[in-house]
Amino acid sequence: MPRIAMAALACALGLAHVPAQAETFVSEAVRSRTINVPKNKSLSFRLDGPASKIVVAQPDTAQIVATTDRSFYVRGKTLGATNLLIYGQGGALQEVVDVRVGYDAEALQSDLAAAIPGEVIKVRNLGEGLLLTGEVSTTAVAAKAKTLADKFAPESITSALTVRASQQVILEVRVLEAGRSDLKDIGFNLAATDGVNFALATGSGLIGPSTPQGVLQVRGSIGSVDIDLMLQALEEKGVVRTLARPNLVALSGQKASFLAGGEFPFPVPNGRDTVSIEFREFGVKLDFEPVVQDNGLIRLLVAPEVSALDTRANLRLNGMEVPSLTVRRAATTVELKSGESFAVAGLFQQDYANAIRQLPGIGQVPVIGSLFRSARWKRQESELVIIVTPRLATAEDLTGETRIMAGRETNPIDLILLGMALDKPLSAPVGTGPAGQ
């Protein structure tokens, strides 16, 4: 007996050290369903059986009002989600209803059908927002539907609309720039001295920094006075023509850009005694954004730019020479049919400058004063024409004459043997001529 008692006591102590298993509460397995209620509107629902109690998880999201023991209505108060616990007779859980309060999808679908007839656009609730689905005819229709929906539900619209037709736009651009320049620089140097008591010197050669192309020097004497006369002369003329023909393809409503040129390093001060390098673009640049309208026209936002390095206005920074840029820029919005062209022309610039360096007084005397005077004369003009032709990628190419500016490039024989550097004579200065042109 004592042995049996001891065994029983040991068994009891062993059971005392066995850990207790945790209990898990599982929700009752009942029927569940989901309903969507528009914000600030009410919907009525009917139950399969009589209900004794309805519990709302978030009363601030939805308001529940029972009309009978088998029916109730729900009013959406704020955007969000909640659920209803419906208890039947005897207090048993009968049904769980998930309630989502969002925007009125049916009202938006009706408004889109009235605003864009002939297009099948479906609207459904997606979380606290709305989802647009369907297939439309053009990207312009899709953009219009998205814009209207954004006004209905700001920042809550997701568009999954697809476009049936191809809406790729090809942009053909022709950029032509011609710059012409003519420079004449004449300088006189006069020196006279008897080597003892008399000395006269006037002039310092050419006014500009260029090296003279020709020098005429005459030396002589009058009595004990030695005379040294020097004539320096320079004439420069030339033409620069720039032509670019970029062709770009972009989807309707999407931006595209083109650059034919390069980048040059530009020093930028960055703190004390520190200079960082940035790169600036130059050359022929084009930015455009096409939008195909419902009537077939192409609305085109185009911004062409032509720039070139200009060493005449260099910037010196920490011992470095930085060139400047001469820029021609235009920006416009037009509507064209596929294959039509428009030109941005009339970008004409004419510069004129002269300078005289002379000895005061005697330099004003006719004829003789020219021996005591140096003169510099310079004219420069440039003209820019930009021709743009947009067309749909699926349409046939339309041919048409493209106006090119007057003037032709000189050949090597005319340039070397005849000195014909310009492609055409310089135009008359603005404001001259019989008609004041």
Side-chain angles (χ1 to χ4, degrees), residues 58-273:
Q58 294 289 340
D60 294 336
T61 302
Q63 179 184 6
I64 310 300
V65 177
T67 53
T68 67
D69 60 349
R70 291 176 177 269
S71 62
F72 63 94
Y73 72 84
V74 182
R75 185 177 73 87
K77 299 175 68 177
T78 60
L79 298 177
T82 185
N83 64 354
L84 310 178
L85 302 180
I86 301 175
Y87 293 89
Q89 299 295 332
L93 183 61
Q94 175 178 314
E95 186 177 357
V96 176
V97 179
D98 291 330
V99 180
R100 296 181 180 179
V101 179
Y103 293 99
D104 193 346
E106 293 183 359
L108 177 57
Q109 183 167 328
S110 177
D111 292 343
L112 290 177
I116 314 176
E119 303 288 346
V120 180
I121 302 176
K122 297 181 180 180
V123 184
R124 59 180 295 266
N125 292 95
L126 180 64
E128 295 184 2
L130 297 173
L131 175 65
L132 306 182
T133 59
E135 189 178 66
V136 294
S137 57
T138 64
T139 53
V141 173
K144 182 178 180 180
K146 179 68 165 55
T147 301
L148 295 176
D150 285 335
K151 295 181 179 180
F152 188 90
E155 300 181 358
S156 300
I157 300 297
T158 301
S159 178
L161 297 173
T162 59
V163 180
R164 290 191 297 269
S166 173
Q167 295 295 307
Q168 291 184 342
V169 178
I170 298 177
L171 191 69
E172 299 177 350
V173 183
R174 303 295 179 264
V175 180
L176 180 61
E177 182 183 27
R180 306 172 187 89
S181 62
D182 195 355
L183 167 67
K184 294 181 178 65
D185 199 345
I186 300 177
F188 286 93
N189 294 342
L190 175 62
T193 179
D194 62 358
V196 181
N197 300 317
F198 173 76
L200 173 65
T202 64
S204 59
L206 300 182
I207 296 179
S210 304
T211 303
Q213 185 68 21
V215 177
L216 175 62
Q217 187 170 9
V218 178
R219 291 177 179 177
S221 62
I222 302 177
S224 61
V225 179
D226 295 329
I227 300 176
D228 190 352
L229 176 63
M230 181 181 294
L231 170 63
Q232 297 178 342
L234 170 67
E235 181 177 4
E236 293 181 352
K237 55 184 177 180
V239 62
V240 177
R241 295 171 63 92
T242 303
L243 175 65
R245 304 180 63 181
N247 291 338
L248 301 178
V249 181
L251 291 175
S252 176
Q254 301 296 320
K255 293 182 179 180
S257 61
F258 166 85
L259 174 65
E263 297 180 341
F264 70 98
F266 187 86
V268 178
N270 186 13
R272 183 176 181 181
D273 299 330

Side-chain angles (χ1 to χ4, degrees), residues 132 163 214 281 401 411:
L132 306 182
V163 180
E281 297 177 345
E401 294 184 0
N411 56 55

